[in-house]
């Protein structure tokens, strides 16, 4: 679809393929799982009055064939990993409450994390308990580590910890033992975006129309860890909530929403490099202080 001009409701849309491996949902607090969190948020209630708007459409990311998504996504955890995911989310909730208060309408960071909790079916009682326990919990701090992975890939590792020295040493050890290293400059290969995820039940052409009406700026087709199709609506971080509400009003069943880091450039790895990268990401995600890991790896089709 690269370079093709489409006319949707009289608007000129330029759809460009972008080989970006957008990771699903996570997000974070002022950045993501962040989740995105994470990976950002933006725009406000649609009121789409501009006569022209540029919208990008990315190709389907086939992640299921090499099990890549199975180690990357924190969304939809298996039963064996669910308790660990809930533990990390609870930690993020407590941090967000300590930083900006317990009202999600006034605390955007908290509102984004609650959306992420709902996206992974975290019980309401667990969410409320984590928020109420914020004052009694240890103070924690957020950090974003930049790293290099196998095959020259770039990684962003989001940390929420009460001991920066311990976390730094642990992350450095895992990277050094598994073909990676801490490395400045990785942040420049990512953009902070708001990401609203829905089931891939809507045809892509119709999704483009809905994106314009809702105030989103990009639509991508991806697959989850079960190889089921999903749609990602990208927007500015500040308009994440309004875009999600607009999509829901238009009949789109949204699954999650949160800020995320979206790769600007991607790299393709060999099978052996993908295997090494999968192992590295799995080890990083097993760290309790790690809330989300982003990469710019584009799996081979």
């Amino acid at each position: 679809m690269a370079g093709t001009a489409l006319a949707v409701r009289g608007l000129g849309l330029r759809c460009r393929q972008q080989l970006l491996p957008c990771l699903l949902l996570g997000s974070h607090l002022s950045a993501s799982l962040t989740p995105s969190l994470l990976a950002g948020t933006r725009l406000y209630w649609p009121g789409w009055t501009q006569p022209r708007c540029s919208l990008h459409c990315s190709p389907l990311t086939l992640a299921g064939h090499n099990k890549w998504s199975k180690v990357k996504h924190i969304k939809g955890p298996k039963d064996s990993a669910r308790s660990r995911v809930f533990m990390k989310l609870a930690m993020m909730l407590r941090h967000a409450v300590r930083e900006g208060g317990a009202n999600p309408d006034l605390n955007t960071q908290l509102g984004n994390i609650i959306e992420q909790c709902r996206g992974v079916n975290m019980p309401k009682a667990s969410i409320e308990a984590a928020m109420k326990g914020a004052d009694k919990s240890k103070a924690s701090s957020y950090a974003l580590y930049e790293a290099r992975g196998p095959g020259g890939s770039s990684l962003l590792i989001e940390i929420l910890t009460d001991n920066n020295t311990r976390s730094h040493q642990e992350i450095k050890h895992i990277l050094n033992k598994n073909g990676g290293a801490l490395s400045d400059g990785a942040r420049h290969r990512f953009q902070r975006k708001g990401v609203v995820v829905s089931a891939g039940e809507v045809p892509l052409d119709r999704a483009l129309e809905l994106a314009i009406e809702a105030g989103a700026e990009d639509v991508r087709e991806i697959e989850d860890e079960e190889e089921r199709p999903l749609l990602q609506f990208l927007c500015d971080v500040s308009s994440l909530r309004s875009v999600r509400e607009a999509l829901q009003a238009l009949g789109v069943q949204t699954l999650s929403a949160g800020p995320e880091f979206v790769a600007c450039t991607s790299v393709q790895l060999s099978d052996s490099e993908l295997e090494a990268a999968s192992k590295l990401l799995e080890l990083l995600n097993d760290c309790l202080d790690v809330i989300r890991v982003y990469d710019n790896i584009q799996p081979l089709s």
Side-chain angles (χ1 to χ4, degrees), residues 62-68 71 150-151 267-280 297-301:
L62 298 175
H65 300 293
N66 54 26
K67 301 181 181 180
W68 188 239
V71 298
V267 296
Q268 289 192 332
L269 307 185
S270 65
D271 289 344
S272 61
E273 290 170 335
L274 281 173
E275 188 69 25
S278 296
K279 179 182 178 182
L280 173 59
I297 298 170
Q298 175 67 42
L300 294 171
S301 59

Side-chain angles (χ1 to χ4, degrees), residues 21-22 33 53 62 64 87 104 119 132 164 179 214 235 255 264 283 291:
C22 185
L33 222 215
C53 174
L62 298 175
M87 185 183 302
K132 290 179 181 178
N164 286 306
C235 63
L255 303 177
C264 304
L283 291 170
I291 53 177

Side-chain angles (χ1 to χ4, degrees), residues 49-89:
T49 58
Q50 292 180 320
R52 234 180 129 74
C53 174
S54 112
L55 189 71
H56 311 299
C57 173
S58 299
L60 179 66
T61 300
L62 298 175
H65 300 293
N66 54 26
K67 301 181 181 180
W68 188 239
S69 62
K70 288 182 173 60
V71 298
K72 292 199 305 182
H73 296 314
I74 194 163
K75 174 180 176 297
K78 300 298 183 182
D79 290 341
S80 60
R82 188 173 296 272
S83 60
R84 184 172 67 248
V85 172
F86 287 175
M87 185 183 302
K88 293 184 179 185
L89 286 169

Side-chain angles (χ1 to χ4, degrees), residues 18 20-25 58-64 69 72-73 75 195-201 204 219-234 255-256 260 262 292 298:
Q18 304 174 7
L20 306 181
C22 185
L23 303 190
L24 194 353
L25 146 69
S58 299
L60 179 66
T61 300
L62 298 175
S69 62
K72 292 199 305 182
H73 296 314
K75 174 180 176 297
V195 180
V196 180
V197 180
S198 73
E201 301 172 350
L204 185 57
V219 181
R220 294 180 180 178
E221 291 181 309
I222 64 167
E223 291 179 348
D224 65 10
E225 55 269 41
E226 303 296 334
E227 298 188 41
R228 293 171 297 196
L230 298 174
L231 290 173
Q232 289 183 325
F233 295 84
L234 305 190
L255 303 177
S256 63
E260 296 187 11
V262 178
R292 181 97 190 238
Q298 175 67 42

Side-chain angles (χ1 to χ4, degrees), residues 23-179:
L23 303 190
L24 194 353
L25 146 69
S27 140
H28 128 184
L29 2 145
S30 57
S32 115
L33 222 215
T34 42
S36 278
L37 0 132
L38 353 74
T41 323
R42 67 198 210 189
L43 275 143
Y44 259 85
W45 192 261
W48 200 268
T49 58
Q50 292 180 320
R52 234 180 129 74
C53 174
S54 112
L55 189 71
H56 311 299
C57 173
S58 299
L60 179 66
T61 300
L62 298 175
H65 300 293
N66 54 26
K67 301 181 181 180
W68 188 239
S69 62
K70 288 182 173 60
V71 298
K72 292 199 305 182
H73 296 314
I74 194 163
K75 174 180 176 297
K78 300 298 183 182
D79 290 341
S80 60
R82 188 173 296 272
S83 60
R84 184 172 67 248
V85 172
F86 287 175
M87 185 183 302
K88 293 184 179 185
L89 286 169
M91 182 171 60
M92 293 168 59
L93 287 167
R94 290 192 293 268
H95 177 83
V97 171
R98 291 175 66 96
E99 291 290 308
N103 187 343
D105 293 329
L106 302 177
N107 186 343
T108 302
Q109 174 180 306
L110 176 62
N112 289 337
I113 299 170
I114 291 176
E115 292 294 335
Q116 296 162 28
C117 294
R118 292 170 178 167
V120 295
N121 298 317
M122 186 174 180
K124 182 179 179 180
S126 298
I127 297 175
E128 294 175 348
M131 293 172 61
K132 290 179 181 178
D135 293 337
K136 300 178 182 179
S137 63
K138 291 183 179 180
S140 56
S141 60
Y142 170 81
L144 180 67
Y145 291 140
E146 302 173 78
R148 182 183 68 253
S153 57
S154 296
L155 307 177
L156 293 182
I157 308 166
E158 288 187 321
I159 301 291
L160 193 60
T161 180
D162 58 6
N163 188 323
N164 286 306
T165 300
R166 179 198 67 213
S167 299
H168 182 272
Q169 291 176 344
E170 184 176 8
I171 297 303
K172 183 178 179 180
H173 175 76
I174 292 174
L175 288 167
N176 291 343
K177 290 291 185 179
N178 294 277

